[in-house]
Amino acid sequence: MSCTESSDIYWNYDNPSDWSKNFPCASGLCQSPIDINSIDTIPHMYPSFIFSSKYNSDKLFTLKNNGRQICTTVSKSIDEHKQNDLWFSGSGLPGVYHFQEFHIHWGQSNRHGSEHKINGHRFSGEAHFVHKNYDNGQIAVLAFFFSTVAADVVVDNNNEHHEWDKYAEVASRLTKIHDTTNCTFNLSKLMQIDDREFFRYMGSLTTPPCTEGIIWTVFSYEIPIKASSLDLLRQNIMRKVCRPVQPINGRTIFRNHHYSKIT
Ligand SMILES: [Zn+2]
C-alpha cells in the first residue's frame, strides 16, 4: 500500500532494495511488511471493531490500474457527498477511520505473494484495506491473507470467496496502465471480519514513499480464493506485486488476547 499515495518518481518491484535511493523513508527503522514471530508478540485485550452499516451493503467501486497495483476506491459517480459512509472505530484505535481504498498483493506463484509473513510462512496473497482518520491524518490498514483453493472447493455455506473471485475476474481485465472499470462489492464479504484474531504494530506504507507511522492490523485468518483467480491477475496484469519483509528493529508487536491458533 498505498495506491492513493502517488509519486512522479519511477519505481517498480524488480529491485525494492533500491527504493531508498529515491525514497529515503524506505530505509527507516519502522518499515513494513515484517515477518511476525508469534512467540515474540505481546498479548493485549482489544475492544471489538465497530463498522458502519454500509460495510454490509453492495456499493459501487472504481478499479484502476495505476501501473503498479489495481487500486479500488468508492465510485464517485453515484453520490459524491456520501463518500464517508464507510468507516470503522474501536479495536483500541482512537477516533473514526474512513475507508480510502483497497488493493491486493500477489507473487509469481501461489506459494508466495503475501507481504507479511507469520512465523516465516508466506501466504498466496494479501489484501490491504486502507483507512484514514480525518481528524489527525492517521492511516490504519487492515490486512488479510489469502490461501488458494481448488476451483471446485465449496466453502461451507458462505459465498465470501466468490466476492474475491469476482474481483479477480474484473480486475484482470485492466491490462493497461490507467485502465478503469466499475463494479459492486460488499466490503464485509471481502474482509470477513468476525472478531478474527489479529496482530497490531506500527509500520509503514509498503510502497514508495514508504511513509512510517502507519497502524497495521494483520489478521491471521486466511481468506480462501480460487487459485485460478490469482493466476488471472498475474498472467493478465503484473507478475509480482509485493515488497520483501523488513527488519523489525525491536518494535513491539501485539496480538489480540483471543489469539491462540499459532502460539
Ligand atoms: Zn498494500
Side-chain angles (χ1 to χ4, degrees):
M1 66 132 301
S2 157
C3 53
T4 55
E5 297 269 338
S6 62
S7 169
D8 292 333
I9 302 173
Y10 178 78
W11 62 270
N12 62 35
Y13 281 104
D14 293 338
N15 296 296
S17 58
D18 289 343
W19 288 354
S20 59
K21 291 176 183 172
N22 289 322
F23 305 97
C25 287
S27 58
L29 297 178
C30 298
Q31 289 288 291
S32 296
I34 57 172
D35 183 359
I36 296 170
N37 189 349
S38 58
I39 62 169
D40 292 335
T41 59
I42 308 297
H44 187 79
M45 183 181 292
Y46 290 100
S48 296
F49 280 96
I50 300 165
F51 286 92
S52 67
S53 60
K54 294 298 182 183
Y55 277 81
N56 279 313
S57 59
D58 289 346
K59 285 186 76 77
L60 189 66
F61 289 86
T62 298
L63 296 78
K64 181 177 182 180
N65 181 337
N66 65 14
R68 293 145 183 152
Q69 293 173 326
I70 302 299
C71 184
T72 305
T73 53
V74 176
S75 177
K76 293 180 179 175
S77 60
I78 293 297
D79 199 348
E80 195 117 15
H81 71 279
K82 289 187 176 177
Q83 288 297 295
N84 297 335
D85 61 3
L86 290 170
W87 54 264
F88 77 81
S89 61
S91 188
L93 300 180
V96 175
Y97 292 79
H98 295 272
F99 173 83
Q100 303 293 294
E101 52 97 357
F102 77 84
H103 59 268
I104 74 174
H105 298 268
W106 63 84
Q108 289 175 307
S109 82
N110 288 331
R111 290 193 303 277
H112 55 90
S114 67
E115 296 207 299
H116 288 87
K117 297 182 184 178
I118 294 186
N119 298 329
H121 179 73
R122 293 188 292 193
F123 301 83
S124 299
E126 184 172 332
H128 291 161
F129 291 79
V130 182
H131 292 73
K132 187 172 187 175
N133 182 326
Y134 290 151
D135 292 332
N136 58 17
Q138 177 71 57
I139 290 177
V141 184
L142 309 182
F144 303 85
F145 296 118
F146 290 113
S147 63
T148 49
V149 295
D152 57 351
V153 170
V154 176
V155 179
D156 298 339
N157 289 328
N158 74 53
N159 59 0
E160 279 86 354
H161 76 297
H162 297 310
E163 198 78 352
W164 281 111
D165 294 323
K166 178 173 77 172
Y167 167 85
E169 202 274 323
V170 172
S172 64
R173 295 185 214 144
L174 306 175
T175 56
K176 301 187 189 70
I177 295 176
H178 305 312
D179 277 358
T180 301
T181 191
N182 291 330
C183 187
T184 56
F185 294 108
N186 180 308
L187 286 184
S188 290
K189 289 181 179 177
L190 291 172
M191 297 196 296
Q192 302 185 25
I193 292 181
D194 184 18
D195 281 333
R196 307 285 191 190
E197 295 106 348
F198 63 79
F199 298 100
R200 170 78 48 78
Y201 79 99
M202 293 300 295
S204 74
L205 306 180
T206 68
T207 58
C210 300
T211 311
E212 297 185 341
I214 309 296
I215 301 171
W216 280 91
T217 303
V218 180
F219 288 84
S220 57
Y221 177 73
E222 299 167 42
I223 296 175
I225 188 171
K226 286 180 188 170
S228 56
S229 291
L230 288 180
D231 285 342
L232 264 183
L233 293 171
R234 72 171 62 90
Q235 287 166 7
N236 291 3
I237 309 173
M238 304 145 197
R239 292 191 57 75
K240 185 176 81 170
V241 191
C242 52
R243 186 190 195 191
V245 293
Q246 304 297 306
I248 292 177
N249 293 320
R251 275 175 282 176
T252 301
I253 300 156
F254 296 97
R255 69 177 187 274
N256 66 344
H257 80 302
H258 299 299
Y259 192 81
S260 60
K261 193 164 64 176
I262 292 178
T263 55

